[in-house]
Amino acid sequence: MASLSPSIGGFLSPFEGGGVMVRWHEWGPADGRPVVCVHGLTRNGRDFDVLAAALAAQGRRVICLDVPGRGISAWLPLGSQYIVPVYVGLIAPLLAQLGEYDWVGTSMGGLIGMGLSGIPNGALGAGPRRMVLNDIGPFVPVASLERIRDYLSQPQAEYGSVEQVDAYLRRVHAPFGPLTDAEWRHLATHSAHRTPTGGWRLHYDPRIVEPMGAGPLADVDLWALWPWVAARPTLVVRGESSDLLLAPDAQKMAGSANVTLATIPGCGHAPALMEANQVQLILDFLR
């Protein structure tokens, strides 16, 4: 596991009612070339600790965001506001200050990165130089969205111990791949917070599912945006059994001149980016 400890950064992003606190864990020297890492739907920035420590060792400044509604960032006033365009707007002030940066996005984090690619140059600083899309693409099948909605719609449980959180994550996130006991415990420790009664709850706002329940779900089709995404060097990482990024779509993405596809064996949605070969893949790409 990572041997260093991150610092915490944050700012009050303008929003309805005065603003929303956006926070992150930061690794590496403040003057290093920035890398922004953004997690999946129910996850948080501590998922990237192993990758972030490795990037920091190369002199990179690594900002592992907690998207509002997760981790140490604030929750949004309404559940209906948990959508990608809102996330883009909330993190825009930070990105505008970074100049040129690289982007690593897992699942939802990749969708946010693709959303940034459609914004005119200069509006958010120099924009992403290179982009890593971890098990996400411009097409998301409705069947996978229904699966996610169904498990998120279940009442959020209170666990009696971090060991129980660990067991839950191993079951729900088994497609992350064959992680070690230490890696699962790391995820469990940072995936839950203590409750006033002394228990543990998962570290996200249960209302994040509300936009998925607003009407019938349908395929997400962002292929019209793909030329702007693929205009920069892009690494697509796909779990070989992923139901979110299907193999034909990954191959179609790889047909763009700037796009490299890497398929990770033994994983589904989404590779955890903790195993040494996965980390090295990204280190090499972001040089």
Side-chain angles (χ1 to χ4, degrees):
M1 298 305 299
S3 60
L4 304 175
S5 296
S7 60
I8 295 176
F11 71 103
L12 186 66
S13 185
F15 197 64
E16 299 176 13
V20 171
M21 281 301 304
V22 178
R23 297 186 177 92
W24 61 85
H25 290 87
E26 183 166 333
W27 303 75
D31 61 352
R33 289 191 296 123
V35 181
V36 180
C37 298
V38 186
H39 56 81
L41 183 63
T42 64
R43 306 300 307 149
N44 62 76
R46 299 305 299 266
D47 283 8
F48 295 103
D49 278 7
V50 176
L51 175 62
L55 286 164
Q58 293 186 338
R60 304 297 299 267
R61 178 190 180 192
V62 191
I63 296 170
C64 299
L65 281 167
D66 279 357
V67 176
R70 293 86 170 171
I72 58 175
S73 286
W75 291 9
L76 298 181
L78 301 173
S80 60
Q81 295 166 332
Y82 288 117
I83 54 176
V84 168
V86 170
Y87 302 146
V88 170
L90 287 170
I91 66 177
L94 168 66
L95 300 179
Q97 296 176 12
L98 293 181
E100 188 176 69
Y101 55 88
D102 292 329
W103 185 274
V104 179
T106 293
S107 194
M108 179 189 72
L111 289 175
I112 296 172
M114 286 190 281
L116 293 170
S117 300
I119 296 174
N121 289 338
L124 295 180
R129 179 188 72 109
R130 289 179 170 245
M131 183 172 291
V132 178
L133 299 177
N134 184 21
D135 213 63
I136 192 68
F139 185 85
V140 181
V142 65
S144 63
L145 297 175
E146 290 171 343
R147 173 182 59 78
I148 293 168
R149 179 197 59 195
D150 291 347
Y151 92 77
L152 284 182
S153 297
Q154 300 172 15
Q156 198 177 76
E158 181 168 331
Y159 299 94
S161 66
V162 71
E163 288 79 11
Q164 292 180 5
V165 177
D166 185 308
Y168 170 81
L169 294 181
R170 287 175 189 250
R171 184 174 71 255
V172 173
H173 294 310
F176 282 7
L179 305 185
T180 66
D181 288 345
E183 288 166 343
W184 282 117
R185 182 53 57 93
H186 175 84
L187 293 178
T189 300
H190 296 293
S191 294
H193 62 93
R194 298 303 296 267
T195 68
T197 59
W200 297 81
R201 285 192 186 275
L202 297 177
H203 219 340
Y204 63 85
D205 184 348
R207 299 176 302 159
I208 63 173
V209 72
E210 287 188 15
M212 302 181 78
L217 291 174
D219 297 333
V220 173
D221 189 339
L222 302 176
W223 280 114
L225 185 62
W226 184 243
W228 282 269
V229 179
R232 62 189 50 75
T234 300
L235 172 63
V236 177
V237 179
R238 178 180 183 267
E240 68 173 346
S241 60
S242 175
D243 69 337
L244 208 78
L245 176 56
L246 302 180
D249 295 313
Q251 291 294 336
K252 183 176 177 180
M253 295 163 73
S256 300
N258 290 323
V259 177
T260 301
L261 172 63
T263 300
I264 308 299
C267 296
H269 182 74
L273 307 185
M274 302 174 85
E275 194 271 329
N277 289 341
Q278 297 174 31
V279 171
Q280 192 62 50
L281 176 70
I282 294 174
L283 295 181
D284 293 343
F285 179 74
L286 295 183
R287 288 189 187 279

